[in-house]
Amino acid sequence: MKFKKNYLINELDLPYSALVDDITDTSRWSIHHEIVFEHEGKFYQTYYSEGATEMQDESPWEYEEDVDCDEVELKEVKVMKWVPVSK
């Protein structure tokens, strides 16, 4: 689903009101985020970047007018992980 950038920022107060806001990557100039937010009883996930320093003037979805968002749901997920052997 596509949302207008202005709607996300002005009406939904994103990214500040997001239910989840995880940093997924960093670069020299930007911090990349993945967020989950609620809209009309459904949950959506999307991404944005912001400037990494006070000198980098980059705001969420600065270069996008329409923002692609995927509908998501919360599910339990089991994960295999390497852990130290108890001695």
Side-chain angles (χ1 to χ4, degrees), residues 7-70:
Y7 181 77
L8 294 177
I9 292 171
N10 298 325
E11 300 298 321
L12 299 182
D13 194 28
L14 291 174
Y16 309 108
S17 68
L19 300 171
V20 175
D21 188 342
D22 292 328
I23 294 174
T24 59
D25 198 10
T26 59
S27 65
R28 183 174 182 179
W29 308 116
S30 300
I31 301 171
H32 307 283
H33 296 255
E34 172 185 270
I35 64 170
V36 174
F37 64 95
E38 182 179 2
H39 176 66
E40 297 180 350
K42 294 182 179 180
F43 298 91
Y44 296 92
Q45 179 182 59
T46 192
Y47 304 89
Y48 74 93
S49 296
E50 65 182 348
T53 71
E54 64 278 353
M55 298 302 288
Q56 302 313 122
D57 188 22
E58 179 184 2
S59 60
W61 310 294
E62 184 170 344
Y63 304 107
E64 300 175 63
E65 192 58 37
D66 295 314
V67 179
D68 286 321
C69 301
D70 295 317

